[in-house]
Amino acid sequence: QVQLVESGGGLEQAGGSLRLSCAASGSIFRLNAMGWYRQAPGKQRELVASITRGGSTSYADSVKGRFTISRDNAKNTVYLQMNSLKPEDTAVYYCNAQKYYSDYNYWGRGTQVTVSS
């Protein structure tokens, strides 16, 4: 099993910045893609950003130019730098990971991000 532990959420004003971290531990061999999803009240969980072990990234259109995903493979940690935050970024943010040759998704417990207007 892979355990994912998020940190860095909180309350921020619109226009501000937050940085989320997610550390993976446990059975982390063959760990490939890691990413961030979010779920706002009454809405479906959506992909925010993802990054492969090799560094290829993808972003939701709504966060392009404002959020940056990165990872430290030596620390098995993925980060999400969130700038120019908007009230619509308010959600629970979940860390996600997948291994090579597997469609199984590992999830963290989530961290709340609240952006006030």
Side-chain angles (χ1 to χ4, degrees), residues 4-67:
L4 302 173
V5 178
E6 304 104 332
S7 60
L11 174 65
E12 184 58 74
Q13 291 185 336
S17 299
L18 285 172
R19 189 190 193 211
L20 305 183
S21 300
C22 172
S25 62
S27 179
I28 58 174
F29 63 95
R30 290 207 301 264
L31 199 61
N32 180 21
M34 297 184 74
W36 293 92
Y37 286 68
R38 67 186 180 187
Q39 187 167 18
K43 295 188 176 181
Q44 289 189 332
R45 191 173 297 190
E46 62 175 359
L47 174 67
V48 177
S50 66
I51 184 168
T52 66
R53 188 170 184 84
S56 296
T57 59
S58 64
Y59 295 91
D61 287 342
S62 59
V63 306
K64 282 181 180 177
R66 300 188 298 122
F67 291 9

